[in-house]
Amino acid sequence: MRLPKHFGLHVGLTSFCLLTIYPILWVFSIAFSGEQNISFANIPADPTAWDRLRAILPWPEQISIQNFVDLFTQQPFFDWLLNSVIVAAMTTILGVFLACTSAYAFSRFRFPGRRTGMMMFLVSQMFPGTLMLIPLYIIVTKWLGLGNSYFGLILVYATTAIPFCVWMMKGYFDTIPKEIEESAIMDGASSATIFWKIVLPLARPALAITALFSFMTSWNEFILASLFMEDEAMYTAPVGLKFFVGGFSSQWGYFAAGAIIVSLPVVLLFLYLQKYLISGLTAGSVKG
């Protein structure tokens, strides 16, 4: 019997997909178990193949949403989630605004230091984020006095996301024909009208990528948030989740339930913006 074309490739891809999904299924199993400890199915002394399979299947013995209920009623998780929403939303707005205006200037105007500025943005992405922890802490907390505040964390996140966003938006603006703007100028449109009414609507795919990257930079980040936020009431959701797993006691049920809730906004945002993702990534990468 002849095997279908690319059969081996499909088997390999399916295996890797199952390998990736398996830990996620365990997270769901722990979250919906209603318990705090990780428990495995009991294997009898003389196990059958089904007994061994049950031991590794990520399926709770009973399904319960008690962990989710306790997370919002007995834990300060809702406050941490609200902090993440505020920080991520403001970072996205600030990052998209600064990236769009900067990228448009780099794309359309010719001025001294233009190429140097773009190269500096690129060079800044070559260094690991942990290298900037101490300088950022000194600048934000000591010089600006913005430690343990929303604005200080938003400023750091926006600064971190802007270099990539500027390169992405600048590459997309380069693909928009200048003749469109010249026609608008002939009709009497101002520079602000051209930018807000013509260029930005045409750059919606790149805007979607920029907004998504800015949102994910602040929503999933842990190290900087744990460094700058000293008050427990100011913790973001990723930092708050850390306290469910300690050295002496671990509340794995709450941790798994919180991890699922924290992941939902990113998943929903991906689903909403997926129609823009491919066109935004490809069109913004052809010219630099």
Side-chain angles (χ1 to χ4, degrees):
M1 184 175 117
R2 186 177 180 182
L3 294 176
K5 190 178 181 180
H6 305 307
F7 176 78
L9 178 62
H10 294 163
V11 171
L13 291 176
T14 303
S15 301
F16 278 108
C17 287
L18 293 176
L19 188 65
T20 304
I21 294 174
Y22 184 73
I24 300 176
L25 295 179
W26 267 111
V27 173
F28 277 86
S29 176
I30 297 169
F32 286 97
S33 66
E35 301 176 357
Q36 299 305 317
N37 297 322
I38 301 177
S39 59
F40 301 89
N42 295 324
I43 303 178
D46 188 16
T48 63
W50 171 245
D51 293 329
R52 295 181 184 276
L53 182 62
R54 282 189 59 221
I56 62 173
L57 281 178
W59 189 264
E61 295 183 2
Q62 61 176 4
I63 298 178
S64 172
I65 61 171
Q66 190 61 42
N67 286 331
F68 294 90
V69 175
D70 293 343
L71 201 62
F72 286 100
T73 57
Q74 302 180 13
Q75 306 291 337
F77 182 75
F78 181 79
D79 295 333
W80 299 337
L81 196 64
L82 183 61
N83 293 337
S84 289
V85 171
I86 295 173
V87 171
M90 295 304 298
T91 300
T92 303
I93 295 172
L94 181 62
V96 170
F97 174 77
L98 294 178
C100 289
T101 51
S102 302
Y104 185 74
F106 279 112
S107 175
R108 289 297 188 261
F109 304 129
R110 299 295 181 266
F111 51 88
R114 174 176 172 270
R115 293 182 61 85
T116 303
M118 291 300 297
M119 288 303 300
M120 291 299 295
F121 278 138
L122 185 61
V123 170
S124 67
Q125 297 296 290
M126 298 180 182
F127 297 97
T130 53
L131 191 66
M132 300 186 295
L133 288 179
I134 296 177
L136 284 175
Y137 183 81
I138 295 175
I139 293 172
V140 174
T141 60
K142 304 300 182 181
W143 296 357
L144 300 179
L146 297 175
N148 197 37
S149 66
Y150 289 138
F151 187 73
L153 195 58
I154 292 169
L155 185 63
V156 171
Y157 285 158
T159 304
T160 305
I162 280 175
F164 172 81
C165 295
V166 169
W167 267 93
M168 175 63 64
M169 293 300 302
K170 193 261 182 187
Y172 198 94
F173 285 148
D174 288 344
T175 64
I176 299 177
K178 295 182 180 180
E179 290 77 8
I180 298 177
E181 301 172 47
E182 293 172 356
S183 299
I185 294 175
M186 295 293 292
D187 293 335
S190 63
S191 299
T193 302
I194 294 173
F195 178 71
W196 294 106
K197 298 290 184 65
I198 299 176
V199 176
L200 284 187
L202 292 175
R204 279 182 295 181
L207 282 173
I209 295 293
T210 303
L212 183 62
F213 181 80
S214 299
F215 181 84
M216 291 180 59
T217 297
S218 54
W219 184 262
N220 296 325
E221 205 280 326
F222 170 79
I223 297 178
L224 291 174
S226 62
L227 178 67
F228 289 106
M229 296 304 190
E230 301 174 357
D231 188 1
E232 183 177 338
M234 298 293 291
Y235 288 161
T236 57
V239 179
L241 286 177
K242 181 195 71 170
F243 289 91
F244 291 134
V245 182
F248 300 99
S249 63
S250 298
Q251 298 171 307
W252 289 109
Y254 293 154
F255 182 87
I260 293 174
I261 294 173
V262 171
S263 302
L264 283 178
V266 178
V267 174
L268 295 176
L269 196 59
F270 259 105
L271 294 176
Y272 178 74
L273 298 176
Q274 63 180 346
K275 59 184 177 181
Y276 300 114
L277 294 183
I278 300 300
S279 59
L281 286 172
T282 55
S285 61
V286 295
K287 299 179 74 174

Coordinates of all heavy atoms in Angstrom, one line a residue, residues 170-215:
K170 N 7.9 51.7 10.1 CA 8.7 52.4 9.0 C 8.8 51.5 7.8 O 8.6 52.0 6.6 CB 10.1 52.7 9.6 CG 10.9 53.6 8.7 CD 11.9 52.9 7.8 CE 12.7 53.9 6.9 NZ 13.5 53.2 5.9
G171 N 9.0 50.2 7.9 CA 9.0 49.3 6.7 C 7.6 49.3 6.0 O 7.6 49.3 4.8
Y172 N 6.5 49.4 6.8 CA 5.2 49.4 6.1 C 4.9 50.8 5.5 O 4.4 50.8 4.4 CB 4.1 49.1 7.2 CG 2.8 48.6 6.5 CD1 2.6 47.3 6.3 CD2 1.9 49.6 6.1 CE1 1.4 46.9 5.7 CE2 0.7 49.2 5.5 CZ 0.5 47.8 5.3 OH -0.7 47.4 4.7
F173 N 5.3 51.9 6.1 CA 5.1 53.2 5.5 C 5.8 53.3 4.2 O 5.4 54.0 3.3 CB 5.5 54.3 6.5 CG 4.6 54.5 7.7 CD1 5.0 54.9 8.9 CD2 3.2 54.3 7.5 CE1 4.2 55.1 10.0 CE2 2.3 54.5 8.5 CZ 2.8 54.9 9.8
D174 N 7.0 52.7 4.1 CA 7.8 52.7 2.9 C 7.0 52.1 1.7 O 7.3 52.4 0.6 CB 9.1 52.0 3.1 CG 10.1 52.9 3.9 OD1 9.8 54.1 4.1 OD2 11.1 52.3 4.4
T175 N 6.1 51.1 2.0 CA 5.4 50.5 0.9 C 4.2 51.3 0.5 O 3.6 50.9 -0.6 CB 4.9 49.1 1.4 OG1 4.0 49.2 2.5 CG2 6.1 48.2 1.9
I176 N 3.8 52.3 1.2 CA 2.7 53.1 0.8 C 3.1 54.1 -0.2 O 4.1 54.9 0.0 CB 2.0 53.8 2.0 CG1 1.5 52.8 3.0 CG2 0.9 54.8 1.6 CD1 1.0 53.4 4.3
P177 N 2.6 54.2 -1.4 CA 3.1 55.1 -2.5 C 3.0 56.6 -2.0 O 1.9 57.0 -1.5 CB 2.1 54.8 -3.6 CG 1.6 53.4 -3.4 CD 1.5 53.3 -1.9
K178 N 4.0 57.3 -2.3 CA 4.0 58.7 -2.0 C 3.0 59.5 -2.8 O 2.6 60.6 -2.5 CB 5.4 59.3 -2.1 CG 6.4 58.7 -1.1 CD 7.8 59.3 -1.2 CE 8.8 58.7 -0.3 NZ 10.1 59.4 -0.4
E179 N 2.7 58.9 -4.0 CA 1.8 59.6 -4.9 C 0.4 59.9 -4.2 O -0.3 60.9 -4.6 CB 1.6 58.8 -6.2 CG 2.8 58.8 -7.1 CD 3.9 57.9 -6.6 OE1 3.6 57.1 -5.7 OE2 5.0 57.9 -7.2
I180 N 0.0 59.0 -3.3 CA -1.3 59.2 -2.6 C -1.2 60.5 -1.8 O -2.2 61.3 -1.8 CB -1.6 58.0 -1.8 CG1 -1.7 56.7 -2.6 CG2 -2.8 58.2 -0.9 CD1 -2.0 55.4 -1.8
E181 N -0.1 60.7 -1.1 CA 0.0 61.9 -0.3 C 0.2 63.1 -1.1 O -0.4 64.2 -0.8 CB 1.2 61.7 0.7 CG 1.1 60.5 1.6 CD 2.4 60.2 2.4 OE1 2.9 61.2 2.9 OE2 2.8 59.1 2.4
E182 N 0.9 63.0 -2.2 CA 1.0 64.1 -3.1 C -0.3 64.5 -3.7 O -0.6 65.7 -3.9 CB 2.0 63.8 -4.2 CG 3.4 63.6 -3.8 CD 4.4 63.0 -4.8 OE1 3.8 62.8 -5.9 OE2 5.6 62.9 -4.6
S183 N -1.2 63.6 -4.0 CA -2.5 63.9 -4.5 C -3.3 64.6 -3.5 O -4.1 65.6 -3.8 CB -3.2 62.6 -5.0 OG -2.5 62.0 -6.0
A184 N -3.2 64.2 -2.2 CA -3.9 64.8 -1.1 C -3.4 66.2 -0.9 O -4.2 67.1 -0.6 CB -3.8 64.0 0.2
I185 N -2.1 66.5 -1.1 CA -1.6 67.8 -0.9 C -2.1 68.7 -2.0 O -2.5 69.9 -1.8 CB 0.0 67.8 -1.0 CG1 0.5 67.1 0.2 CG2 0.5 69.2 -1.1 CD1 2.0 66.9 0.2
M186 N -2.3 68.2 -3.3 CA -2.8 69.0 -4.4 C -4.3 69.3 -4.1 O -4.8 70.4 -4.5 CB -2.8 68.1 -5.6 CG -1.3 67.9 -6.1 SD -0.5 69.4 -6.7 CE -1.4 69.8 -8.1
D187 N -5.0 68.5 -3.3 CA -6.4 68.8 -3.0 C -6.5 69.7 -1.7 O -7.6 70.0 -1.3 CB -7.1 67.5 -2.7 CG -7.3 66.7 -4.0 OD1 -7.3 67.3 -5.1 OD2 -7.4 65.4 -3.9
G188 N -5.4 70.1 -1.2 CA -5.4 71.0 -0.1 C -5.3 70.4 1.3 O -5.6 71.1 2.3
A189 N -5.0 69.1 1.4 CA -5.0 68.5 2.7 C -3.7 68.9 3.4 O -2.6 69.0 2.8 CB -5.0 66.9 2.5
S190 N -3.8 69.0 4.7 CA -2.6 69.3 5.6 C -1.8 68.1 5.9 O -2.3 66.9 5.7 CB -3.1 70.0 6.8 OG -3.9 69.2 7.6
S191 N -0.6 68.3 6.5 CA 0.2 67.1 6.8 C -0.5 66.2 7.9 O -0.4 65.0 7.8 CB 1.6 67.6 7.3 OG 2.2 68.3 6.3
A192 N -1.1 66.9 8.8 CA -1.8 66.1 9.9 C -3.0 65.3 9.3 O -3.2 64.2 9.7 CB -2.3 67.1 11.0
T193 N -3.7 66.0 8.4 CA -4.9 65.2 7.7 C -4.4 64.1 6.9 O -5.0 63.0 7.0 CB -5.6 66.2 6.8 OG1 -6.1 67.3 7.6 CG2 -6.8 65.5 6.2
I194 N -3.3 64.2 6.2 CA -2.7 63.1 5.4 C -2.3 62.0 6.3 O -2.6 60.8 6.1 CB -1.5 63.6 4.6 CG1 -2.0 64.6 3.6 CG2 -0.8 62.4 4.0 CD1 -0.8 65.3 2.8
F195 N -1.7 62.3 7.5 CA -1.2 61.2 8.4 C -2.4 60.5 9.0 O -2.4 59.3 9.1 CB -0.3 61.9 9.4 CG 0.2 60.9 10.5 CD1 1.2 59.9 10.1 CD2 -0.2 60.9 11.8 CE1 1.7 59.0 11.0 CE2 0.2 60.0 12.7 CZ 1.2 59.1 12.3
W196 N -3.3 61.3 9.6 CA -4.4 60.6 10.4 C -5.5 60.1 9.5 O -6.1 59.0 9.9 CB -5.0 61.7 11.4 CG -4.1 62.1 12.4 CD1 -3.4 63.3 12.5 CD2 -3.6 61.3 13.5 NE1 -2.6 63.3 13.6 CE2 -2.7 62.2 14.3 CE3 -3.9 60.0 14.0 CZ2 -2.1 61.7 15.5 CZ3 -3.3 59.6 15.2 CH2 -2.4 60.4 15.9
K197 N -5.8 60.7 8.4 CA -7.0 60.3 7.6 C -6.6 59.4 6.4 O -7.5 58.6 5.9 CB -7.7 61.5 7.0 CG -8.2 62.5 8.1 CD -9.4 61.9 8.8 CE -10.0 62.9 9.8 NZ -10.6 64.1 9.1
I198 N -5.3 59.4 6.0 CA -5.0 58.6 4.8 C -3.9 57.5 5.1 O -4.2 56.3 4.8 CB -4.4 59.5 3.7 CG1 -5.5 60.6 3.3 CG2 -3.9 58.7 2.5 CD1 -5.0 61.6 2.2
V199 N -2.8 57.9 5.7 CA -1.7 57.0 5.9 C -2.1 55.9 7.0 O -1.9 54.7 6.7 CB -0.4 57.7 6.3 CG1 0.7 56.8 6.6 CG2 0.0 58.7 5.2
L200 N -2.5 56.4 8.1 CA -2.8 55.4 9.2 C -3.9 54.4 8.8 O -3.8 53.2 9.1 CB -3.2 56.1 10.5 CG -2.1 56.8 11.3 CD1 -2.6 57.3 12.6 CD2 -1.0 55.7 11.5
P201 N -5.0 54.8 8.2 CA -6.0 53.7 7.7 C -5.4 52.7 6.8 O -5.8 51.6 6.8 CB -7.1 54.6 7.0 CG -7.0 55.9 7.7 CD -5.6 56.1 8.0
L202 N -4.5 53.2 5.9 CA -3.8 52.2 5.0 C -2.8 51.3 5.7 O -2.5 50.2 5.2 CB -3.1 53.0 3.9 CG -3.9 53.8 2.9 CD1 -3.1 54.6 2.0 CD2 -4.8 52.8 2.1
A203 N -2.4 51.7 6.9 CA -1.4 50.9 7.6 C -2.0 50.1 8.7 O -1.3 49.8 9.7 CB -0.3 51.9 8.2
R204 N -3.3 49.8 8.6 CA -3.9 49.0 9.7 C -3.3 47.7 10.0 O -3.2 47.3 11.1 CB -5.4 48.8 9.3 CG -6.3 50.0 9.7 CD -7.7 49.8 9.4 NE -8.0 49.6 8.0 CZ -9.2 49.4 7.4 NH1 -10.2 49.3 8.2 NH2 -9.3 49.3 6.1
P205 N -2.8 46.9 9.0 CA -2.1 45.6 9.3 C -0.9 45.9 10.2 O -0.7 45.1 11.1 CB -1.7 45.1 7.9 CG -2.7 45.7 7.0 CD -3.0 47.0 7.5
A206 N -0.1 46.9 9.8 CA 1.1 47.1 10.6 C 0.7 47.7 12.0 O 1.4 47.4 13.0 CB 2.0 48.2 9.9
L207 N -0.3 48.5 12.1 CA -0.8 48.9 13.4 C -1.3 47.8 14.3 O -1.0 47.8 15.5 CB -2.0 49.9 13.2 CG -1.7 51.3 12.7 CD1 -3.0 52.1 12.4 CD2 -0.9 52.0 13.8
A208 N -1.9 46.8 13.7 CA -2.3 45.6 14.4 C -1.1 44.9 15.0 O -1.1 44.5 16.2 CB -3.1 44.6 13.5
I209 N 0.0 44.7 14.2 CA 1.2 44.1 14.7 C 1.8 44.9 15.8 O 2.2 44.4 16.9 CB 2.2 43.9 13.6 CG1 1.6 42.9 12.5 CG2 3.5 43.4 14.1 CD1 1.5 41.5 13.0
T210 N 1.9 46.2 15.6 CA 2.5 47.1 16.6 C 1.7 47.0 17.9 O 2.3 47.0 19.0 CB 2.5 48.5 16.1 OG1 3.3 48.5 14.8 CG2 3.2 49.4 17.1
A211 N 0.4 47.1 17.8 CA -0.4 47.1 19.0 C -0.3 45.7 19.8 O -0.2 45.7 21.0 CB -1.9 47.3 18.7
L212 N -0.3 44.7 19.0 CA -0.2 43.3 19.6 C 1.2 43.2 20.3 O 1.2 42.6 21.4 CB -0.3 42.3 18.5 CG -0.3 40.8 19.0 CD1 -1.5 40.5 20.0 CD2 -0.4 39.9 17.8
F213 N 2.2 43.6 19.7 CA 3.6 43.5 20.3 C 3.7 44.3 21.5 O 4.2 43.9 22.6 CB 4.6 43.9 19.3 CG 6.0 43.8 19.8 CD1 6.7 42.5 19.9 CD2 6.7 44.9 20.3 CE1 8.0 42.4 20.4 CE2 8.0 44.8 20.7 CZ 8.6 43.5 20.8
S214 N 3.2 45.6 21.5 CA 3.2 46.4 22.7 C 2.4 45.8 23.8 O 2.8 45.9 25.0 CB 2.7 47.8 22.3 OG 3.5 48.4 21.3
F215 N 1.2 45.3 23.5 CA 0.4 44.7 24.5 C 1.1 43.5 25.1 O 1.1 43.3 26.4 CB -1.0 44.3 23.9 CG -1.9 43.7 24.9 CD1 -2.7 44.5 25.7 CD2 -2.0 42.3 25.0 CE1 -3.6 43.9 26.6 CE2 -2.9 41.7 25.9 CZ -3.7 42.6 26.7

